[in-house]
Amino acid sequence: MDGMMDTEEVLTKLQEFLRTRPMLLIGTGLSMSMGLPGMGELTDCLQRDMPNRCAGRPHLLTEWDNCFGSIQVYGLEDGLGRCTVSTELLQLIVESTAEFIDVRDLTLKKQL
């Protein structure tokens, strides 16, 4: 085979590597175990906060209500992915999310 390994040899080498080398996988489970909010808490935050951020701008409130309807049906990530939102509403969603996460992140850092 001109110096090339066949599939079985590659899999054997991969198994040996994985067996002898420690691996660290980090995902949202780690952040949640550290006390940072998950999607459910973020959804609750946006549900409470966005009407206030959209106050005085009926077009944004209507847009948010439509978007939140999608979130209720499909969940936060998928629901937001199905929405087409204006730049203005997107900015408000980003600001709300960032503030919510930032407060929780600072609280966690103080505990460490």
Side-chain angles (χ1 to χ4, degrees):
M1 289 198 342
D2 298 315
M4 294 186 65
M5 291 188 280
D6 65 16
T7 303
E8 188 172 318
E9 288 176 290
V10 170
L11 290 175
T12 300
K13 297 262 185 214
L14 180 60
Q15 286 175 335
E16 289 172 9
F17 174 80
L18 293 175
R19 201 170 331 160
T20 60
R21 309 284 191 297
M23 296 182 76
L24 176 62
L25 300 175
I26 299 175
T28 57
L30 178 62
S31 59
M32 288 179 68
S33 70
M34 296 296 293
L36 293 175
M39 292 299 163
E41 289 177 88
L42 181 54
T43 300
D44 293 343
C45 168
L46 290 171
Q47 182 180 14
R48 286 187 311 270
D49 190 44
M50 289 304 294
N52 295 331
R53 289 181 187 266
C54 295
R57 297 176 275 185
H59 66 287
L60 287 179
L61 190 54
T62 299
E63 191 178 350
W64 168 250
D65 287 342
N66 291 335
C67 188
F68 192 70
S70 178
I71 291 169
Q72 288 178 303
V73 172
Y74 299 105
L76 181 62
E77 291 177 286
D78 194 25
L80 282 173
R82 293 170 181 261
C83 296
T84 301
V85 298
S86 65
T87 303
E88 192 176 6
L89 183 63
L90 178 60
Q91 183 63 37
L92 294 176
I93 293 170
V94 168
E95 288 171 5
S96 180
T97 301
E99 288 174 16
F100 180 64
I101 299 296
D102 192 40
V103 167
R104 297 293 289 272
D105 188 47
L106 288 173
T107 301
L108 176 63
K109 286 178 182 175
K110 287 178 184 176
Q111 293 173 353
L112 297 177

